[in-house]
Amino acid sequence: MAEPLLRVERLVRRFGGIVATDHVSLDVARGELHAIIGPNGAGKTTLISQLTGHLAPHAGSVSLAGRDITYLPAYRRCALGLARSFQITSLLLDFTAVDNVALAAQAHAGTSFRFFANARKEKGLRDAAHAALDRVGLGHRADVLVSKLSHGERRQVELAVALASKPKLLLLDEPMAGLGVTESQGMVKLLQELRKEVSIVLVEHDMPAVFALADRISVLVYGRVIASGDPDAIRANEDVKRAYLGEA
Ligand code: ATP
């Protein structure tokens, strides 16, 4: 079998007496959209944070394209092609959409967080930011302050921020959260487009979206992977129905 893009092996993270991820293992193949589902408190965000380097594991390993990244800091992982969109919005409200994306691209490029050191570099960053906004369908709102954008549009800017680092693997933590029906449908369409270009790990509670998008699904319950498989296998799995899908 081809080497997976992401390999997670027996990852353990505790918070006091709680084992938030309990020997979690999973592989993400190149080109795959791999969804991680499970009840509140199952350990999904804790897992994502260990993949990005925002949280250190107590045991286990993470490798990206065959390279062990378990203890690399977040910015080095980003340079190797990992990008994350956060569950809680992290945008600068008093800046325009394009400024937000350009500033993020500047930070990813490893330069200091100053407001555009020179004109030529600024143009390059702005061009890349406009391209990222175009990719998420928000090019026409590039010069609008983020504070004036709708919740759904802010989600699109967050995706553009993640794309600005040109990732190989995009980690998305609940991109549908707080979206209305029409906005959710727009996000599903957008992810359907993006997945053609980048592998994706998607944490999401919106089950119609998950089943519409995922190649594979891993189900986390109390920090453990209780099932992993294609959408049909997960839908039919009695343990998954009992622990999660019955209530979804
Ligand atoms: P949700 O679907 O509600 O976002 P989740 O599956 O992402 O939940 P986590 O947020 O990863 O779950 O939490 C897993 C467990 O770890 C929970 O019991 C949570 O209370 C605990 N936990 C997470 N972060 C911390 C922390 N910083 N300190 C203490 N406990 C934590």
Side-chain angles (χ1 to χ4, degrees):
M1 204 181 98
E3 178 188 76
L5 178 58
L6 180 78
R7 170 155 282 176
V8 176
E9 287 183 293
R10 300 180 63 74
L11 216 52
V12 177
R13 172 72 202 199
R14 291 179 289 272
F15 295 106
I18 294 168
V19 189
T21 54
D22 190 356
H23 298 88
V24 169
S25 298
L26 55 90
D27 283 352
V28 178
R30 285 178 173 77
E32 185 173 80
L33 191 148
H34 194 121
I36 297 172
I37 64 172
N40 291 327
K44 303 180 296 294
T45 296
T46 304
L47 171 61
I48 296 285
S49 295
Q50 291 172 95
L51 303 183
T52 57
H54 291 94
L55 204 56
H58 289 118
S61 66
V62 182
S63 51
L64 185 69
R67 174 172 178 173
D68 187 337
I69 60 165
T70 314
Y71 297 105
L72 280 190
Y75 77 94
R76 300 259 325 262
R77 295 178 202 221
C78 183
L80 289 173
L82 261 188
R84 167 189 208 165
S85 86
F86 284 88
Q87 193 176 351
I88 307 295
T89 179
S90 52
L91 300 173
L92 303 168
L93 295 181
D94 295 333
F95 287 73
T96 62
V98 72
D99 281 348
N100 266 272
V101 180
L103 283 168
Q106 179 178 241
H108 289 144
T111 42
S112 60
F113 201 75
R114 274 179 298 159
F115 204 15
F116 305 131
N118 71 58
R120 201 160 54 91
K121 199 158 160 205
E122 175 179 342
K123 181 163 184 332
L125 288 166
R126 280 185 185 282
D127 289 349
H130 278 291
L133 284 168
D134 283 342
R135 274 174 82 190
V136 303
L138 210 62
H140 62 297
R141 304 282 275 161
D143 295 321
V144 177
L145 292 181
V146 166
S147 60
K148 306 276 186 219
L149 296 178
S150 71
H151 186 69
E153 288 172 329
R154 291 183 197 188
R155 284 276 134 112
Q156 287 169 270
V157 179
E158 286 171 351
L159 264 185
V161 165
L163 289 171
S165 64
K166 301 193 173 59
K168 293 190 185 100
L169 180 63
L170 197 52
L171 306 173
L172 302 177
D173 199 352
E174 299 196 32
M176 318 284 170
L179 298 186
V181 176
T182 314
E183 287 177 329
S184 290
Q185 287 165 348
M187 182 60 80
V188 168
K189 270 205 195 124
L190 175 54
L191 294 181
Q192 252 150 2
E193 284 305 307
L194 291 182
R195 59 168 309 171
K196 294 175 190 162
E197 302 161 39
V198 59
S199 308
I200 297 177
V201 172
L202 171 70
V203 169
E204 189 48 63
H205 284 288
D206 180 334
M207 287 306 108
V210 165
F211 282 97
L213 287 164
D215 298 304
R216 289 175 64 78
I217 301 174
S218 291
V219 187
L220 263 187
V221 177
Y222 290 122
R224 292 190 180 180
V225 178
I226 64 160
S228 208
D230 66 36
D232 287 342
I234 293 299
R235 221 193 296 263
N237 185 302
E238 291 301 326
D239 290 338
V240 175
K241 279 192 215 168
R242 245 191 318 274
Y244 185 54
L245 285 184
E247 65 175 64

